Amino acid sequence: MPIDFQLEAPLSARRIVVAMSGGVDSSVVAALAARTGAETIGVTLQLYDHGAATGRAGSCCAGQDIRDARAVADRLGIAHYVFDYESRFRESVIADFADEYMAGRTPIPCVKCNMGVKFTDLFALARDLGADCLATGHYVRRVMGPQGAELHRALDPARDQSYFLFATTAAQLDYLRFPLGGMPKPQVRALAQDLGLAVALKPDSQDICFVPDGDYAKIVRSVRPDADASGPILHVDGTPLGMHRGLIHYTVGQRKGLDIGGQPSPLYVIRLDPERRAVIVGPKAALAVASASLGDINWLGGDFTGPLTAKVRSMARPVPARLDGNRLVFDTPELGVAPGQAAVLYDGDRVLGGGWIDATQAAVLEGV
């Protein structure tokens, strides 16, 4: 059974804090931690009122997740603490999510949450509890290389979450452990069943935690009431084609829902112009991007200088590219590269780092 804790002193004298969300993955991590013989403490952060987020009254799913985490901790005989971080999460993740959409960008709140509440505030909590490491249920691997801990993709490509953890710093990586990175999900569920954990068959979350119904616009409107302000839909050649119902309803690469019939060929969202409140559309060829300017680059690659691949969306395939300062240059023009998303850089399975896409440089003339 692969366990990535690597504690150097006798385990009975050490302490592990496990981030417990109430799901099957973190529950199995808590069980594996307890099996090492180290003192194990489960910590759950209450981040939001799920019932309020979905508009459903009377049931708080976040509360159910907390109850599930507590039940697992009781089953394992470990301590469990809950900390209220709802206001911090609202300010640093949900408000940022709304502001990014209002600025015509496509946000990734899961990365922002990992950068802040989870991998900064939770780190502080774990250290305050005297833990020697913080273990999570993320599907990535921590591999010791010649220059220290490295972040690698999970062995199961269908579960890999490395794209969402590109902003993990070297110091954080020294403290983190990811015991599930070498396991396929069916094995994790089988372990949960063998351990008699009630969450063994609990469904995986499929959406952003505070947008479980997929209605991003509703969340943005709740934070920024003017988010539905309309504006023009313009062809890349400047031709007005109609009016849109608010920038928050559109993302780069979108084809459906433009409501501009009668066009000779399909049109796609090429970019959003928040200053003019305009949605710029054009043919698929206009989506081609030669390079992207990156901001807030987090580099984990040490002195690596070789060829790399870049992933510009969570579900995209990594493509050959090179990093020239803060400019990511693609070997072949890439489609649908959206400001606000992340570009994550790899050397094979190793995560070299990444940055936020601030702007893109077109590979073809607009209107072609």
Side-chain angles (χ1 to χ4, degrees):
M1 181 184 299
I3 298 178
D4 175 28
F5 289 116
Q6 301 173 347
L7 300 179
E8 297 170 358
L11 292 174
S12 60
R14 309 307 295 264
R15 180 176 294 166
I16 300 171
V17 163
V18 179
M20 297 184 68
S21 67
V24 62
D25 296 327
S26 61
S27 297
V28 169
V29 170
L32 295 177
R35 280 189 170 187
T36 67
E39 179 186 2
T40 302
I41 300 172
V43 170
T44 301
L45 301 182
Q46 180 174 342
L47 301 180
Y48 61 97
D49 182 333
H50 211 161
T54 60
R56 293 194 299 266
S59 176
C60 177
C61 298
Q64 183 58 53
D65 290 339
I66 291 171
R67 288 190 288 273
D68 287 343
R70 180 169 289 127
V72 168
D74 289 344
R75 170 81 178 178
L76 299 175
I78 65 174
H80 179 248
Y81 300 106
V82 178
F83 295 90
D84 183 357
Y85 271 65
E86 186 173 343
S87 61
R88 172 93 164 93
F89 182 77
R90 185 169 55 249
E91 294 167 3
S92 64
V93 178
I94 298 179
D96 177 81
F97 177 82
D99 289 342
E100 287 285 275
Y101 263 115
M102 294 290 287
R105 294 160 61 89
T106 305
I108 317 177
C110 297
V111 177
K112 293 294 179 72
C113 184
N114 287 332
M115 290 174 64
V117 176
K118 288 184 180 175
F119 283 3
T120 299
D121 299 331
L122 189 52
F123 262 61
L125 287 173
R127 291 195 183 278
D128 287 346
L129 290 170
D132 298 282
C133 67
L134 171 65
T136 81
H138 289 101
Y139 283 84
V140 291
R141 290 179 295 144
R142 178 183 178 274
V143 176
M144 293 306 297
Q147 297 178 333
E150 299 174 353
L151 186 64
H152 285 238
R153 280 193 253 243
L155 288 183
D156 183 352
R159 302 299 305 179
D160 176 56
Q161 294 175 301
S162 61
Y163 180 85
F164 300 101
L165 297 180
F166 82 88
T168 304
T169 66
Q172 290 171 342
L173 197 55
D174 283 340
Y175 194 57
L176 281 163
R177 301 294 185 271
F178 307 109
L180 305 188
M183 298 185 195
K185 185 60 177 261
Q187 181 182 356
V188 174
R189 288 202 181 277
L191 277 172
Q193 289 184 299
D194 291 343
L195 293 163
L197 303 182
V199 297
L201 300 179
K202 187 173 180 178
D204 292 334
S205 57
Q206 298 296 326
D207 297 286
I208 296 171
C209 63
F210 59 91
V211 197
D213 58 359
D215 190 349
Y216 303 153
K218 179 174 65 178
I219 297 299
V220 176
R221 282 195 300 269
S222 71
V223 180
R224 302 288 182 260
D226 60 338
D228 271 331
S230 64
I233 298 177
L234 305 174
H235 193 277
V236 289
D237 64 9
T239 303
L241 298 177
M243 297 293 290
H244 65 75
R245 55 197 178 95
L247 292 181
I248 61 173
H249 299 285
Y250 305 90
T251 57
V252 172
Q254 179 178 332
R255 176 183 171 186
K256 296 182 179 180
L258 295 178
D259 297 326
I260 45 174
Q263 301 301 312
S265 59
L267 296 178
Y268 299 79
V269 175
I270 305 303
R271 66 176 184 273
L272 303 175
D273 185 338
E275 292 186 2
R276 293 187 292 172
R277 293 188 180 271
V279 174
I280 312 299
V281 301
K284 190 173 184 178
L287 284 170
V289 165
S291 62
S293 301
L294 305 185
D296 296 327
I297 294 175
N298 180 56
W299 184 251
L300 295 171
D303 55 5
F304 177 86
T305 58
L308 53 80
T309 58
K311 192 173 183 177
V312 294
R313 295 178 304 281
S314 63
M315 301 302 292
R317 60 183 176 83
V319 297
R322 60 184 172 84
L323 189 63
D324 182 8
N326 72 333
R327 187 165 167 259
L328 181 65
V329 182
F330 302 104
D331 286 9
T332 302
E334 185 71 2
L335 300 181
V337 185
Q341 294 277 286
V344 182
L345 314 176
Y346 296 89
D347 171 29
D349 281 341
R350 182 187 176 190
V351 179
L352 298 172
W356 297 101
I357 299 171
D358 285 337
T360 60
Q361 292 78 47
V364 295
L365 294 176
E366 293 184 339
V368 173

